[in-house]
Structure formats: structure tokens, C-alpha cells
Amino acid sequence: MAGTVVDERDDDELRILIQKVARRIRSNRAEGDVGDSQLSVLFYLDVRGALTPTELAALEHVTPPSMNRTVNGLEEAGLIVRERATDDARKVLVRLTPAGDRLLVETRRLRSVWFSDELANLTPTERAALEAARPALRKLAGG
Amino acid sequence: MAGTVVDERDDDELRILIQKVARRIRSNRAEGDVGDSQLSVLFYLDVRGALTPTELAALEHVTPPSMNRTVNGLEEAGLIVRERATDDARKVLVRLTPAGDRLLVETRRLRSVWFSDELANLTPTERAALEAARPALRKLAGG
DNA sequence: TATTGTTATACTCTATAACTATA
DNA sequence: TATAGTTATAGAGTATAACAATA
């Protein structure tokens, strides 16, 4: 019972720490950088090829209207194009443009600067521990 | 050189994973729940007592106007009060109200449900790895 | 002048509700 | 009816620029 209380507090701290690290990552956006969600969509399109808005929404665990807004922003910026699917006229395929591909590469490079510096400031032990936690983080990220 | 490229991609994934887990935590807010930043402020006020907006902004790594908006929301909800400091008339002390204290306890409990469930779904190995990464996360969170 | 707090404004991301088009 | 996409609207969180009050 005492153990339970301690565990709850530990979980709390872990949860708050993850949110805080994420907030710091976000706050270190570079000038002309693209937002988190937009970047993540570019990332998925690069890895998996063209996807529908519904598929993207599921991958990001957001609602279709949220993803639609994100896709609108990317389209207005010329980073993706919408194409009607040939097999099902309801479906739309979101595809990376060459400009989107270039921005993805550049933005990831910019984003990595702060984070990689932070990682470099960890001790070898801390770094190894974070590396070992990668599978757990993958599972918590939910695919 | 090949190793460098792989490392960059690994850092990228780690960064994106952390952001994604944070997004999932946020999306699992309960009804009537308070936002991330507001909750974090309540957390600090509970642990450290009354603090100025500037101090809170520094702790959260956000700008003073951002913190001001967060504090406004908490004040409108009756969860904190602003008091003029006696020693320096420029300063404002933000203090938790009894209602804020109650909401903090309740909200943390609600928030823990989803995350603790997720943690419970990890294998013992994954769970231990995440636990071992806690010091690294603390450092990345920047205090 | 420097510091503290604040307001004005704008952008990103998120959600729910409701609508259109296609299957 | 069910599914895919979208629009309308709203709220939280963040930022920069500019201003007021006090030290």
C-alpha cells in the first residue's frame, strides 16, 4: 500500500518529465521551421509513401479534422499534394512534394541540433539507459 | 561517417518518440480536466509554495506572457490567487487556493490512469529500462 | 535604466458538431 | 447506412512586440 503510493508518484514524475522534455524540444524550433505535427506528417509520408488523411490521423492519434487542418497547412505551403484515389473516389492520397522532401531533411537537421547537444551532455551511463528505453518509448508512443 | 548518419536518425527517432508519447498523454485528458501547463503550475505551487509569474515562467521554460495567460486561466477558475508582494510592489505572488489544491490532487489521479495502464502493459524489461532512463529524462527536462 | 507584470496579436495544434460525396 | 473527407467553431498553449508600474 505504501508501495502503491510511491509507484503512483513515480509514474506521475515520469509522465511529467516526458511532457516537459517534449515541451523543451518544441520550444527549440528554428526560424522558418515547421510545427511538430506537420513535421511528423512529412516524416510518415517519407517513410511510408502516400497515405490518406484518415491513415495519417490514426498514425498520429488525432481526429480527422485535426489532421485535415495539418494537411491544409502543408498543402498551402506546397509541401504536400492531395490526389484523388483511383480505386475509391472518396479517398484522398497525401503525397510529399520535392519541396516537402527538401524541407523534411532540412528541418530534421535543424531540430536535431538542440536535442543532440542535450544528449551529448548526458553521461555515457545515462545515454545508454535512454537508448535501452527506446523500445518502451516506442510502445508508449503507440505505433 | 556512416555511423554518424545512423546516430542522427536514432536521435531523430528518440526525439519524435518523446514528443509522441507526450502528445498521447495530453490527448488522454479527462473530462473537466485542466490543461498541461495549468496542471504543471499547480504542481509547482504545491511543492514550492507561492511563486512569482516570472519564477513560474523560468521553471516551465516559457515566456512571461505565456505564463501570464496560464495564470489568468487558473485565476478565472478560482484555482490560484494573485497577491502583491510586500517587499517589492512590482512583484506578484501566485498562490494555490484550497480549490486549486483539491483539483490538483484529483487531476493528478485522473491523469495517472491512462499512463499507469500503459506502463503496466510494458514487459518487466521495458519497464525497468524506462525506470533506468529516469535520470536521463530529468536532465533532459532541464530542472 | 532595468525589472516585473501585463495586454495585444497571431500562429499551431487540438477537439466536437455538422455537412458533402461516395460506397 | 457507413465511410472518407471536409468545414465551422472553439479552446489551450505558445510566441513577439509594446506598454505600465516600480526599483
Side-chain angles (χ1 to χ4, degrees):
Chain A
M1 32 197 82
T4 302
V5 171
V6 170
D7 284 347
E8 282 176 5
R9 285 185 185 158
D10 283 353
D11 291 357
D12 254 9
E13 199 213 2
L14 218 41
R15 178 170 47 78
I16 288 172
L17 283 176
I18 289 170
Q19 292 185 288
K20 197 157 181 181
V21 174
R23 230 179 304 157
R24 290 195 74 197
I25 292 170
R26 195 186 321 138
S27 72
N28 278 276
R29 291 179 43 193
E31 192 67 29
D33 206 352
V34 81
D36 284 339
S37 294
Q38 292 190 351
L39 179 62
S40 197
V41 166
L42 295 182
F43 177 82
Y44 276 120
L45 295 177
D46 183 49
V47 172
R48 307 201 185 195
L51 295 166
T52 68
T54 296
E55 288 167 340
L56 285 168
L59 285 168
E60 295 279 14
H61 295 103
V62 297
T63 60
S66 291
M67 180 50 64
N68 191 61
R69 172 165 291 203
T70 299
V71 170
N72 282 344
L74 290 169
E75 191 178 39
E76 285 165 18
L79 303 175
I80 60 97
V81 286
R82 280 183 166 99
E83 299 170 1
R84 217 75 213 189
T86 53
D87 60 323
D88 186 338
R90 291 173 304 182
K91 289 187 179 174
V92 166
L93 286 174
V94 179
R95 190 182 303 280
L96 212 54
T97 63
D101 193 64
R102 285 194 302 274
L103 193 95
L104 174 62
V105 173
E106 173 63 7
T107 302
R108 286 166 77 180
R109 191 185 63 71
L110 288 172
R111 289 239 167 171
S112 292
V113 173
W114 174 82
F115 192 62
S116 293
D117 281 356
E118 290 290 314
L119 291 181
N121 285 336
L122 298 177
T123 66
T125 303
E126 288 168 342
R127 179 65 214 250
L130 197 60
E131 186 54 49
R134 188 187 296 264
L137 289 172
R138 283 207 192 97
K139 197 177 277 192
L140 291 174
Chain B
M1 32 196 83
T4 302
V5 171
V6 169
D7 284 348
E8 282 176 5
R9 285 185 185 158
D10 283 353
D11 290 357
D12 255 8
E13 199 213 3
L14 217 42
R15 178 170 48 76
I16 288 172
L17 283 176
I18 289 170
Q19 291 185 288
K20 197 158 182 181
V21 174
R23 232 179 303 159
R24 290 196 74 200
I25 292 169
R26 196 185 321 138
S27 73
N28 277 276
R29 293 205 303 143
E31 191 68 27
D33 205 354
V34 81
D36 285 339
S37 293
Q38 292 190 352
L39 179 63
S40 196
V41 166
L42 295 182
F43 177 84
Y44 277 120
L45 295 177
D46 184 49
V47 173
R48 307 200 185 195
L51 294 167
T52 67
T54 297
E55 288 167 340
L56 285 168
L59 285 167
E60 296 279 14
H61 295 104
V62 299
T63 60
S66 293
M67 181 50 63
N68 191 61
R69 174 167 291 203
T70 299
V71 170
N72 282 343
L74 290 170
E75 190 178 40
E76 285 164 18
L79 304 175
I80 60 98
V81 285
R82 281 183 166 100
E83 301 170 358
R84 215 76 213 191
T86 53
D87 60 323
D88 186 337
R90 290 173 305 181
K91 289 187 179 173
V92 166
L93 286 174
V94 179
R95 190 182 303 280
L96 213 54
T97 63
D101 192 64
R102 285 195 302 273
L103 192 96
L104 174 63
V105 172
E106 173 63 7
T107 302
R108 286 167 76 180
R109 191 184 63 72
L110 289 171
R111 290 238 166 169
S112 292
V113 173
W114 173 82
F115 192 62
S116 294
D117 281 356
E118 291 289 313
L119 292 181
N121 285 336
L122 298 178
T123 65
T125 304
E126 288 168 340
R127 179 66 214 247
L130 197 61
E131 187 53 49
R134 188 187 294 263
L137 290 172
R138 283 207 192 99
K139 198 177 278 192
L140 290 175

